[in-house]
Amino acid sequence: MAPGVKREVSAPRYSDGAAHFDMGEHTLRVPMSHHAHNRSRLVQRLAELRQTEVLKEKSVVFLQGGDELHRDATDCSWVFRQESFFHWLFGVLEPGWYGVIESDSGKTTLFCPQLPEVYAVVMGRIIPPHDFKTRYAVDSVHYVDELPKVLAEIKPTVLLTLVGENSDSGLTTRPAHFEGIDKFAVNSNILHTELSELRVTKSQAEIEIMKYAIETSSAAHCAVMKHIRPGMREYQLESVFQHHSYYQGGCRHQGYTNICGGGVSSAVLHYGHAGAPNDCVIRDGDICLFDMGAEYYCYSADITCSFPANGKFTEDQKFIYNAVLAANLAVFNAVKPGVKWDDMHALSYRVMLQKLKEGGLLQGDVDAMVEADLGAVFQPHGLGHLLGMDVHDSGGYLPHCPPRPTKEGFKKLRMARPLLENMFLTIEPGCYFIDCLLDKALASPTQQQFLVPEVLERFRGFGGVRIEDDVLITKDGAVNLTKVPRTVEEIEALMAEGRKETVVFPQQLGTHPSQK
């Protein structure tokens, strides 16, 4: 660094008069104009609502960002990650902020906490509002304490706050609140639906961020497949993914709790939780299912790779893997704008069941299997979901969308709506051998007739296979942005390349003294 050049110590940065976010010169640069574009999309939609008299003139969008969360009653806090709707509109990285958008003009005002002097000693330089104004490329920035006064000067006819239920979690967003909000008219019925629908289709800037997160995650998955050796613990491979995505890609956060199952654990759909923290030994001959996605600038990838621990598929592993791959490819080749997602779910079931029949695991008519919900025995989850700022992104079951299906094999779908151009979604069929579901099917008068018990018994304890790709719906089809090996031959070739390197892991060096 040249003498006299002031060091940039935080992001977003600004150079050449333009504010932007990045994690270094080797990472994707995101301009703050991205958020200005998002705000303009919302302002345009609100203008349309004014034409229908659903909304009054001088309505003001009023959002509250996320707050820093402490670990229980301690003074240690979790690494802060901004609330997704707030980030989509403003790009603010810090906790404790508010944002206001005047719907008639698009004028944007942010409100930051007024920090105590000691903050400069403990946390670093206190950034003044005029610097934040440049940093976030908005019209003005004030302290949170000034919020009632500034809003009174704007004289809004109504404050539009964000209240709505997340259809995946069942949880409700937190509406913006401050002391004195009761002096203003508030409408909480409009904003959640409108913002959620805007997030469903991605702008060009968002597409570039998603591509970056997906490519970074793809490379990290490949690193894991090259590094794995029987005898390792699952979490050690998780750490390879986290290191690669952060060290190489600047992704500080993961999009969700990583799922790293070997052997029978690969049949646990959301393995990796606190009670099963990816801590089992990976054995020679295991099939592994690793579902991991890095997050960059609050945009998440979601990729699942399934592969043999020792680098060579057995015949049974090939059979199940290729059945799932056939379903994945059939859906990818069929998706385009206008196609209904529940129809794609049915297609994935049909193709996989046909392949399982061809391999001797099932018998009988495939149409009858579909009618009997046999697909849900082997794939007890939806085909995929919207993807974006949240790994299960907003917009699945909004008021204007088709409702959640009630049929057994379909009711876990995270959306049933027709596809739109510039949607990001996952295609993730799977085949799992879960004892309780197999036992139930064998006892079912409508399902047992399709099962070949002696072959099914061979797959008890097999685990599962899932193949999950991140795709962008285009004008006449889709683009698969996931860059990992997918055929048996491609996977074995990559893993053979990794075997050329010597990998030493701690267990090989001896036992901890406490365990001798």
Side-chain angles (χ1 to χ4, degrees):
M1 182 179 292
V5 176
K6 186 177 180 180
R7 183 183 178 207
E8 289 282 0
V9 295
S10 59
R13 303 166 179 85
Y14 29 92
S15 58
D16 302 324
H20 59 266
F21 170 91
D22 63 53
M23 289 292 284
E25 59 273 16
H26 63 295
T27 62
L28 178 70
R29 175 166 290 185
V30 183
M32 291 299 105
S33 57
H34 157 54
H35 301 286
H37 176 70
N38 288 347
R39 293 193 295 271
S40 71
R41 290 178 65 195
L42 175 61
V43 168
Q44 181 180 352
R45 177 57 186 149
L46 295 179
E48 293 169 2
L49 293 179
R50 281 200 303 275
Q51 295 297 319
T52 62
E53 298 185 354
V54 172
L55 198 64
K56 298 177 181 179
E57 292 186 355
K58 295 205 70 178
S59 300
V60 166
V61 174
F62 180 48
L63 264 68
Q64 183 174 357
D67 289 326
E68 188 174 55
L69 298 176
H70 287 265
R71 186 180 294 182
D72 303 316
T74 74
D75 62 350
C76 296
S77 57
W78 300 105
V79 176
F80 179 72
R81 191 268 196 193
Q82 186 59 266
E83 193 278 328
S84 294
F85 286 103
F86 197 82
H87 182 82
W88 191 84
L89 283 170
F90 305 113
V92 171
L93 300 179
E94 298 87 357
W97 285 55
Y98 291 80
V100 164
I101 305 170
E102 297 175 41
S103 67
D104 294 3
S105 64
K107 182 179 178 182
T108 300
T109 305
L110 288 171
F111 298 85
C112 63
Q114 187 161 10
L115 302 169
E117 288 184 6
V118 70
Y119 183 98
V121 177
V122 179
M123 304 292 281
R125 173 178 174 257
I126 297 176
I127 301 171
H130 61 82
D131 275 8
F132 277 131
K133 177 179 179 297
T134 304
R135 176 169 295 196
Y136 291 121
V138 294
D139 295 290
S140 60
V141 177
H142 299 271
Y143 290 120
V144 170
D145 297 347
E146 301 174 87
L147 183 53
K149 174 177 174 289
V150 173
L151 279 179
E153 291 171 354
I154 294 173
K155 298 179 180 178
T157 54
V158 64
L159 297 179
L160 303 177
T161 60
L162 184 71
V163 179
E165 182 180 294
N166 183 298
S167 59
D168 293 307
S169 67
L171 301 176
T172 301
T173 57
R174 181 183 67 164
H177 180 78
F178 66 95
E179 195 69 36
I181 194 173
D182 56 323
K183 296 177 181 178
F184 299 87
V186 176
N187 184 318
S188 60
N189 299 321
I190 293 175
L191 203 55
H192 184 267
T193 297
E194 300 304 331
L195 275 176
S196 295
E197 184 63 22
L198 288 172
R199 282 176 55 186
V200 167
T201 53
K202 306 301 189 278
S203 68
Q204 189 55 48
E206 289 182 292
I207 290 171
E208 292 304 315
I209 305 170
M210 290 295 296
K211 281 183 180 179
Y212 182 81
I214 294 164
E215 289 170 0
T216 299
S217 298
S218 295
H221 270 284
C222 290
V224 168
M225 283 188 271
K226 293 171 72 174
H227 193 82
I228 189 171
R229 301 291 189 274
M232 290 180 170
R233 296 273 176 170
E234 296 154 337
Y235 69 81
Q236 292 174 308
L237 281 308
E238 178 185 18
S239 75
V240 171
F241 183 91
Q242 292 173 325
H243 172 73
H244 192 283
S245 57
Y246 197 4
Y247 184 84
Q248 298 288 350
C251 298
R252 189 176 196 184
H253 295 276
Q254 302 290 292
Y256 49 96
T257 302
N258 290 327
I259 300 165
C260 305
V264 68
S265 298
S266 61
V268 180
L269 300 185
H270 282 180
Y271 184 69
H273 55 83
N278 296 325
D279 61 344
C280 286
V281 175
I282 294 172
R283 301 171 302 173
D284 195 357
D286 278 350
I287 191 74
C288 296
L289 186 158
F290 281 36
D291 183 341
M292 302 180 287
E295 181 182 282
Y296 187 78
Y297 198 53
C298 291
Y299 286 82
S300 180
D302 185 4
I303 299 170
T304 305
C305 294
S306 299
F307 49 90
N310 60 16
K312 282 289 184 180
F313 285 86
T314 66
E315 290 304 311
D316 280 348
Q317 288 170 350
K318 284 182 185 178
F319 166 40
I320 301 304
Y321 185 89
N322 284 329
V324 176
L325 182 60
N328 175 289
L329 293 175
V331 172
F332 175 73
N333 290 325
V335 293
K336 60 183 179 181
V339 169
K340 289 184 63 182
W341 192 234
D342 50 344
D343 289 342
M344 294 296 94
H345 185 72
L347 173 63
S348 72
Y349 272 172
R350 187 177 304 279
V351 171
M352 186 174 70
L353 293 172
Q354 178 63 40
K355 292 297 181 182
L356 295 181
K357 176 184 174 181
E358 291 172 6
L361 185 65
L362 303 179
Q363 60 188 355
D365 181 70
V366 172
D367 288 337
M369 294 180 197
V370 174
E371 186 62 29
D373 280 328
L374 194 67
V377 174
F378 297 98
Q379 183 194 301
H381 61 73
L383 173 63
H385 50 81
L386 294 169
L387 186 65
M389 296 196 69
D390 294 306
V391 67
H392 298 150
D393 213 19
S394 63
Y397 291 108
L398 298 175
H400 60 279
C401 297
R404 186 183 296 275
T406 56
K407 190 176 180 181
E408 184 62 34
F410 291 72
K411 64 185 182 182
K412 292 182 181 178
L413 280 170
R414 297 185 186 276
M415 69 170 185
R417 60 186 294 170
L419 304 184
L420 300 171
E421 184 178 359
N422 292 335
M423 269 184 175
F424 266 94
L425 49 84
T426 65
I427 297 175
E428 51 177 304
C431 182
Y432 317 87
F433 295 88
I434 303 170
D435 282 341
C436 61
L437 296 183
L438 299 178
D439 293 340
K440 186 177 178 181
L442 285 166
S444 166
T446 58
Q447 293 178 334
Q448 64 180 208
Q449 60 186 307
F450 303 114
L451 304 172
V452 181
E454 60 273 19
V455 179
L456 189 63
E457 193 62 29
R458 195 171 81 228
F459 287 90
R460 296 271 189 174
F462 174 95
V465 167
R466 180 162 65 249
I467 301 174
E468 180 177 18
D469 289 323
D470 298 346
V471 305
L472 170 66
I473 302 301
T474 60
K475 184 177 181 181
D476 52 8
V479 176
N480 184 359
L481 296 170
T482 312
K483 307 297 182 187
V484 298
R486 281 307 190 203
T487 67
V488 165
E489 294 75 19
E490 290 169 346
I491 292 169
E492 289 184 346
L494 178 71
M495 297 184 75
E497 182 183 332
R499 291 304 192 277
K500 295 176 183 177
E501 301 176 7
T502 300
V503 174
V504 178
F505 48 98
Q507 297 93 307
Q508 295 175 321
L509 303 178
T511 303
H512 191 274
S514 66
Q515 300 196 38
K516 291 180 180 179

